[in-house]
Structure formats: C-alpha cells, structure tokens
Amino acid sequence: MNNRPAPLSRLSLCLLLPLLSCADGKSGDTAATTDSGAVDSGATGATGLNPDYFLSAGLAAAITTEPCTLSGGTETTCYRVTIAGAPADHDAGPFCPRSIDDGADVAGIWIDGGEVYDVSGAFITGLADFYGDENWQLYDPQTGEVRVTDTQAACEAAARPDVDPAYQNYCVECDISYVDGGISATYLIPVTPIPLSSEAGIGPMDIIGVALNGVAFDPPAPTDAILSAYTIAAFDDCGGHVNLAVGYHYHGATGCSEQIAQDDGHAPLIGYAMDGYAMHAMQNGDGAEPDDLDGCRGHSDSARGYHYHVASAGENMFIGCFHGEQGGEVR
C-alpha cells in the first residue's frame, strides 16, 4: 500500500458472517446480585455481569438466569440477555459520502493497518493512491457522485463475501431500516466466569460479547474480502455497520456506546464478553493503556478481578482470545 494519507483522529467520537450458536434453554428467574449490585463470581476473582448496567432501551426483554452448558462442557447458570439489536444511545450511520465534496461530518470511518480513517469525499478520491492500485474508482469523475449501495437490493448484492460484480467499486452501506430497525438476538453468558486452562482462540463466527447499549461486539470484519472486490464497507463513527443477516453490530470501539465510569480512574466498563468477563475501554482515565495485558488483552486487579481492555478501533478487533468458557447464542 503506497502513499497513504495520515490517519484522522476519531477515536474519541461518539459483515457478513452468521453468529455462532452454542447454547439453548428457557428463561428462568432474575439474577440475584450482591449489595453493591455486582455478581460475586467467587474463586475466579472476577466481578461478573451486572444486569443493571444495561440500558433498558437496548434490551428486548428483561435479563434473567437459567441453566446452561458452556463451550468447555461446564454446566452452570447463565444470564439470558436479549438485545434489541439497535444502539440505544446513538443513531446508526451515516456511513458513505454521496459526493467527493462531502466532509467527514456526513460520513463514517474505515479501519486499516491499525488506523482509523474518515470516509470523506477526499478519502474516496484518494483510494487508488492509498492502496497503490489504479483500479480503485468509487466515484463518477464527471459528476463527483460517489457510488453507494443506497437501496436494499444493492445492499443484498454487495454486502456479502461474493460481491456481485455489478457492485465492485462501490461504497457499501445497508440502512438499519432494511432490518426493521434492528435484529433482536439472545445470548447466554455465564453468571460466574469459568477460566480455561489455556485460552481459546476467536473464530470468524464467534460473537465476542455485548455492549451495554444492546449491540453485539462482532469478530474482525473480513477486510481482505471486502477490499478484493474494490469495495469499502464503511462503518459509522461508532465502529458499527449493518448487514442483513445479523443487523447492526460493532467491529471497533470508538467511545460512542454506554460506559460505566470507575471510581479509581480505571478504564470505563463498556460491555461483557461471552465468557462473562467484563470488557473495558482501552485506556484508563489518564489516557494510558495498561502495560500488563495478556494475549487476550486481559489482566486482573483487586477491584475488578480478571477483565479485558478492548483494542483500538483501527485494529479491527476487541480482544485477542477468550480467557474463559463461553456461552453462546440462543437460536
């Protein structure tokens, strides 16, 4: 890749694969919590999921508990979390610019090589230089109009691994209205995190976790497949986009979604992974990333026990692996 523009700093602003089905069951009783509101996960040394931290508008049903079997075979109790599938605290979009004259304020972002870039009109015109390939041409040079998948039919043809050739050299976006405002999904997450003897890798069909605003954290976007079709599947400024199979979902954390501040200046809580461990923002209150993270991007402290810190949005990931046994999607 040649002559890349400098990345634009958007990290402070507020795709195609089905999700893994690992568990099933019926709803049970609402979970009990400690006096502090947090579930005590005992010997794991971790503070488990707190149902009260989720925005009610991001849930399609009250969080309950039920028996479940985790990925490692452990029979335990899980929270049943049913998300609405639409962000409760921000709009979905915008994604693609309509003109090469459009600025960053009317478009979203793209992630590549560990950096975040504004998908402005200038970015669209510079793609051939950005990727060192003269075949990039996402706009009409006569009118300056950007080629955008602005209908549901175009979305269906382009937002898939085998992009319809007619939609190569398009900025791909799907409106949340195409999925009736959001696709609800139900996940089982262990009340008490169960650590693994060795960490579990993350597959392309594994859901990572859920944000406190009712949006799923997805595995890395298949950017190589997207770029090979000369398409940009733009994210909004919050690191999310829509496909017709799973609806709106995040591929990066940019600071948009609901956060729970920590009294000691630790990075805020933003959600929970499928193994029940808390997911915190990348940086602590002083702007520094913890320097003792393991390969899963987790560490322990006396206040929270084991927990994760998500990666920067440009890294196209949240965590590096699972520290514990995972629950799964209820289908």
Side-chain angles (χ1 to χ4, degrees), residues 20-221:
L20 180 67
S21 177
C22 300
D24 203 347
K26 295 182 178 180
S27 299
D29 298 327
T30 300
T33 59
T34 65
D35 291 340
S36 66
V39 175
D40 182 3
S41 57
T44 65
T47 301
L49 182 152
N50 186 339
D52 294 336
Y53 287 159
F54 284 83
L55 296 178
S56 59
L59 299 174
I63 296 176
T64 57
T65 60
E66 62 184 72
C68 62
T69 302
L70 303 181
S71 60
T74 298
E75 296 183 1
T76 185
T77 301
C78 283
Y79 287 109
R80 184 183 183 98
V81 181
T82 301
I83 62 172
D89 48 2
H90 66 80
D91 293 332
F95 303 102
C96 296
R98 267 39 186 186
S99 165
I100 60 174
D101 296 323
D102 285 343
D105 58 324
V106 294
I109 59 175
W110 181 241
I111 56 179
D112 198 327
E115 305 291 352
V116 175
Y117 301 88
D118 286 315
V119 184
S120 62
F123 179 81
I124 295 295
T125 61
L127 281 170
D129 288 336
F130 187 85
Y131 284 116
D133 185 343
E134 63 183 9
N135 290 313
W136 282 92
Q137 185 72 43
L138 269 67
Y139 66 99
D140 184 329
Q142 301 301 316
T143 65
E145 182 180 358
V146 177
R147 300 185 179 100
V148 179
T149 57
D150 55 3
T151 67
Q152 184 167 344
C155 160
E156 292 172 346
R160 64 190 198 196
D162 56 334
V163 176
D164 187 319
Y167 291 99
Q168 291 195 3
N169 264 310
Y170 266 71
C171 187
V172 179
E173 69 172 32
C174 298
D175 194 270
I176 198 167
S177 66
Y178 301 162
V179 291
D180 297 325
I183 296 178
S184 178
T186 298
Y187 306 107
L188 297 182
I189 299 175
V191 170
T192 300
I194 306 296
L196 291 162
S197 57
S198 60
E199 292 84 358
I202 294 173
M205 295 173 64
D206 288 341
I207 181 174
I208 307 303
V210 290
L212 300 178
N213 67 347
V215 175
F217 294 127
D218 263 30

Side-chain angles (χ1 to χ4, degrees), residues 8-14 114-116 237 253-256 282 312-314:
L8 301 175
S9 177
R10 300 280 291 241
L11 294 180
S12 63
L13 292 175
C14 320
E115 305 291 352
V116 175
D237 285 339
T254 66
C256 281
M282 183 177 75
S312 65

